[in-house]
Amino acid sequence: MSTLLNFDNVTSYYGATRILKDFSFEMQKGECLCVLGRNGVGKTTLMRTIMGLTDKSTGAIRINGTELTGKAPYQRATYGLGYVPQGRGILSDFTVRENILLGTFARADKAPEIPELCLRIFPYLKENLDRRAGLLSGGQKQQLAIARALAVGPQILLLDEPTEGIQPNIVHEIGEILKMLNKELGISLILTEQHIKVARKLGDSFIMVDNGRVVARGPIEDMTDELVERHMTI
């Protein structure tokens, strides 16, 4: 496999405060990388740093060898980054259709139409394109957030706590969809996750984060119960 995303000694700031500190990792094309750790250790900041949404970052961030540091978020999206933020970021007053179409603005081909994939994997959305997004349930909003990110035509799908606050049957359904996107369609995934079972089911590799630093990494089989207890229990 070839290296798709490279983080080299990245430090990321909100104001003058360092959140990520000398953060380094590589991600291979087609991989599912799970980012784990307690709340408040920097997982969301990692996602926002990749997208260029923090106040400042130093170090090098490269996708397919192209340097992203200094590029605006909308420019980064055109390199194939689809982002599902924590809290989903759905525009409640927009329809389902309008929310998904927002993702198409970053497409390389600029096609202003909903990709067939989005409607095929989320039949509820297909049947409710003109429904106001604010009326959807939490699980349906998460489906919509994923569909909007897929409308970018991403190489890498970034998902920040994709199973947070969702009922167990929907967690399973979303897990199966993410697995299909990764293993069958070859879309690389980076997901922050609190559910260890979900991470072990979906992940090929993991990064354990504590206090803004990488404290452990490796193939998902190396994520032992002892490691989880040390860095994730409160």
Side-chain angles (χ1 to χ4, degrees):
M1 287 192 292
S2 58
T3 300
L4 177 58
L5 181 69
N6 182 275
F7 243 59
D8 189 7
N9 224 32
V10 173
T11 296
S12 193
Y13 298 80
Y14 290 124
T17 305
R18 291 190 309 160
I19 307 297
L20 296 187
K21 302 156 189 171
D22 304 319
F23 209 99
S24 297
F25 71 92
E26 285 188 354
M27 179 187 185
Q28 306 305 308
K29 187 173 176 60
E31 186 177 6
C32 177
L33 172 66
C34 294
V35 181
L36 301 115
R38 298 181 184 91
N39 287 330
V41 298
K43 302 187 303 296
T44 292
T45 300
L46 170 62
M47 300 298 223
R48 291 177 61 82
T49 300
I50 294 170
M51 293 303 302
L53 295 169
T54 60
D55 292 337
K56 183 179 80 168
S57 68
T58 60
I61 305 170
R62 292 183 291 271
I63 184 167
N64 287 324
T66 299
E67 179 62 62
L68 295 185
T69 307
K71 294 189 187 297
Y74 75 90
Q75 293 172 312
R76 297 183 188 212
T78 64
Y79 286 92
L81 294 174
Y83 182 39
V84 180
Q86 190 174 27
R88 305 176 187 114
I90 295 302
L91 298 180
S92 295
D93 290 335
F94 281 35
T95 64
V96 167
R97 184 193 312 276
E98 289 166 337
N99 270 277
I100 299 174
L101 284 173
L102 286 173
T104 66
F105 287 102
R107 288 183 67 85
D109 61 11
K110 306 296 184 187
E113 55 193 39
I114 297 175
E116 185 273 335
L117 172 66
C118 300
L119 303 179
R120 176 161 55 86
I121 63 177
F122 296 122
Y124 176 85
L125 300 182
K126 181 178 181 179
E127 294 160 9
N128 291 273
L129 286 172
D130 296 315
R131 186 175 173 83
R132 194 164 65 82
L135 300 175
L136 304 184
S137 70
Q140 290 160 353
K141 286 178 180 175
Q142 187 64 295
Q143 291 180 5
L144 179 55
I146 294 170
R148 181 182 58 196
L150 286 173
V152 173
Q155 295 185 73
I156 306 174
L157 198 54
L158 309 171
L159 302 113
D160 195 1
E161 302 282 4
T163 61
E164 184 181 43
I166 296 174
Q167 60 199 64
N169 63 316
I170 303 296
V171 168
H172 174 76
E173 183 181 323
I174 287 176
E176 289 300 308
I177 286 167
L178 294 179
K179 186 175 181 181
M180 181 273 292
L181 293 172
N182 180 228
K183 301 307 178 196
E184 294 180 27
L185 299 185
I187 298 172
S188 303
L189 305 180
I190 302 178
L191 58 133
T192 69
E193 190 51 76
Q194 291 291 336
H195 287 81
I196 299 302
K197 283 185 179 178
V198 173
R200 284 181 167 146
K201 180 179 179 182
L202 294 177
D204 298 305
S205 59
F206 78 97
I207 296 173
M208 193 70 73
V209 182
D210 204 350
N211 193 29
R213 299 182 187 274
V214 177
V215 292
R217 75 181 85 185
I220 203 74
E221 309 85 65
D222 291 354
M223 190 175 71
T224 62
D225 291 342
E226 187 272 332
L227 198 59
V228 168
E229 187 171 340
R230 191 190 324 159
H231 295 292
M232 293 193 69
T233 55
I234 298 170

